[in-house]
């Protein structure tokens, strides 16, 4: 289970888009207060927590070429930042951190190999820390990433791909499998599944070109590298949410999705930065109970 959770955290580094327009996204998420549950499944008396997540992302194409067969070759820069404020009550910092900051910069290229196959390659680095001051961030919090995915267009709606991703999460370079799934059915009724950055699934109905309503399910999270008891450790904040998402489209450039729903799972745990801890489940059971969830977002395409 921990291997799967770490893979979700690694996939946050692999923000991939085949669009040719620059995109800017700003999002705020809020998790209502709920009880803290320890590794043994016991609720901590008076221990409660809520969370607010602030996200920003910009994708900038720096070179886009299209062949006579409408096959796209592109280079893109992706910049993303996330700040998580974990508002804990009567919970020690040894159990749950109060702040997480994630910053990522990636260079991505997409190029066709044949009419059906394409290559997505990426190289980047990021800062994953619990510090709120840049001057206090050290090399222990900086992770590099890179890799390549081979993607096949199964049909006009479905792309499937796989490959290898390189990261130094454990302090030394390691290869992990990377998965690319993108299903997109457009029209009055829409259905989308994406595993490019965490996991996102949405099914909905477009009432007109100005308003749509979707039922969504998403899995995401943040990662912090730090020292605890003189050991290099990782702190993971991971969650699964579901709910309704009305989306107002002001024009062809701006959309405003709003989500109202529940937090079905919000895990919080430390583990050492060792290969052994990667396959251990001993520290992955602490979490917060169910709570309500809300999010507001603004997307702008140039």
């Amino acid at each position: 289970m921990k291997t799967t959770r770490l893979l979700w955290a690694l996939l946050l580094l692999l923000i991939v888009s085949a669009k040719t327009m620059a995109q800017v996204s700003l999002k705020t998420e809020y998790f209502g207060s709920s009880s803290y549950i320890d590794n043994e499944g016991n609720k901590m008396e008076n221990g409660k927590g809520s969370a607010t997540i602030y996200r920003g992302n910009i994708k900038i194409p720096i070179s886009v070429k299209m062949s006579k067969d409408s096959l796209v070759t592109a280079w893109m820069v992706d910049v993303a930042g996330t700040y998580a404020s974990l508002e804990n009550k009567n919970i020690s910092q040894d159990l749950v951190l109060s702040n997480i900051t994630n910053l990522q910069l990636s260079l991505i290229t997409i190029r066709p190999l044949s009419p059906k196959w394409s290559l997505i390659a990426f190289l980047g680095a990021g800062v994953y820390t619990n510090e709120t001051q840049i001057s206090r961030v050290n090399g222990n919090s900086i992770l590099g990433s890179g890799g390549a995915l081979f993607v096949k267009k199964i049909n006009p709606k479905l792309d499937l791909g796989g490959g290898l991703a390189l990261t130094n999460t454990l302090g030394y370079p390691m290869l992990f499998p990377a998965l690319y799934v993108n299903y997109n059915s457009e029209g009055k009724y829409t259905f989308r599944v994406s595993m490019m950055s965490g996991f996102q699934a949405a099914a909905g109905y477009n009432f007109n070109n100005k308003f749509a309503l979707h039922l969504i399910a998403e899995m995401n999270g943040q990662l912090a590298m730090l020292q605890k008891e003189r050991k290099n450790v990782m702190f993971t904040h991971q969650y699964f949410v579901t709910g309704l998402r009305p989306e107002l489209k002001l024009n062809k450039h701006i959309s405003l999705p709003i989500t109202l729903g529940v937090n079905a799972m919000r895990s919080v745990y430390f583990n050492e930065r060792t290969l052994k801890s990667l396959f251990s489940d001993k520290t992955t059971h602490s979490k917060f109970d169910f709570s309500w969830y809300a999010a507001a977002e603004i997307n702008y395409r140039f």
Side-chain angles (χ1 to χ4, degrees), residues 29-48:
E29 301 173 87
Y30 185 78
F31 297 80
S33 180
S34 60
S35 299
Y36 175 77
I37 301 174
D38 63 21
N39 286 343
E40 285 70 43
N42 302 314
K43 287 188 179 181
M44 178 181 289
E45 186 176 356
N46 298 322
K48 293 183 178 295

Side-chain angles (χ1 to χ4, degrees), residues 41-103:
N42 302 314
K43 287 188 179 181
M44 178 181 289
E45 186 176 356
N46 298 322
K48 293 183 178 295
S50 59
T52 306
I53 315 294
Y54 304 96
R55 299 178 179 276
N57 176 246
I58 181 169
K59 296 178 176 68
I60 305 173
I62 54 179
S63 175
V64 179
K65 298 179 181 179
M66 185 173 294
S67 70
K68 295 179 180 179
D69 300 324
S70 299
L71 300 176
V72 176
T73 299
W75 287 89
M76 291 178 289
V77 173
D78 187 291
V79 182
T82 303
Y83 175 72
S85 175
L86 309 185
E87 298 148 12
N88 307 312
K89 181 179 179 182
N90 300 321
I91 303 174
S92 168
Q93 282 278 104
D94 291 332
L95 297 175
V96 184
L97 295 181
S98 297
N99 305 285
I100 304 175
T101 301
N102 289 177
L103 302 170

Side-chain angles (χ1 to χ4, degrees), residues 161-293:
L164 291 175
L166 179 69
T167 179
N168 62 348
T169 302
L170 301 178
Y172 42 85
M174 286 190 65
L175 285 171
F176 287 86
L179 180 64
Y180 181 104
V181 178
N182 191 29
Y183 182 86
N184 191 342
S185 175
E186 292 289 356
K188 278 290 185 181
Y189 295 94
T190 62
F191 179 64
R192 300 187 186 99
V193 176
S194 175
M195 295 176 66
M196 293 183 291
S197 173
F199 170 80
Q200 296 89 31
Y205 181 77
N206 291 318
F207 289 87
N208 50 49
N209 61 357
K210 295 293 185 180
F211 183 75
L213 180 65
H214 294 89
L215 175 65
I216 65 97
E218 297 181 347
M219 189 173 188
N220 220 319
Q222 294 80 43
L223 188 67
M225 304 295 182
L226 65 152
Q227 281 201 334
K228 184 181 179 184
E229 299 176 354
R230 299 183 179 180
K231 294 181 180 179
N232 290 330
V233 300
M234 298 183 289
F235 177 77
T236 299
H237 176 235
Q238 188 178 67
Y239 45 87
F240 180 83
V241 299
T242 184
L244 288 175
R245 176 173 293 164
E247 181 177 6
L248 180 64
K249 302 172 185 178
L250 300 183
N251 52 48
K252 65 179 182 179
H253 298 290
I254 302 174
S255 63
L256 302 173
I258 297 174
T259 307
L260 298 173
V262 296
N263 156 47
M265 181 275 295
R266 188 159 77 94
S267 298
V268 283
Y269 58 89
F270 288 93
N271 59 279
E272 294 185 27
R273 290 179 67 176
T274 63
L275 189 61
K276 180 181 178 180
S277 70
L278 186 66
F279 299 98
S280 171
D281 283 333
K282 292 183 179 179
T283 58
T284 63
H285 304 300
S286 54
K287 60 183 180 180
F288 287 97
D289 210 348
F290 287 89
S291 68
W292 62 272
Y293 168 85

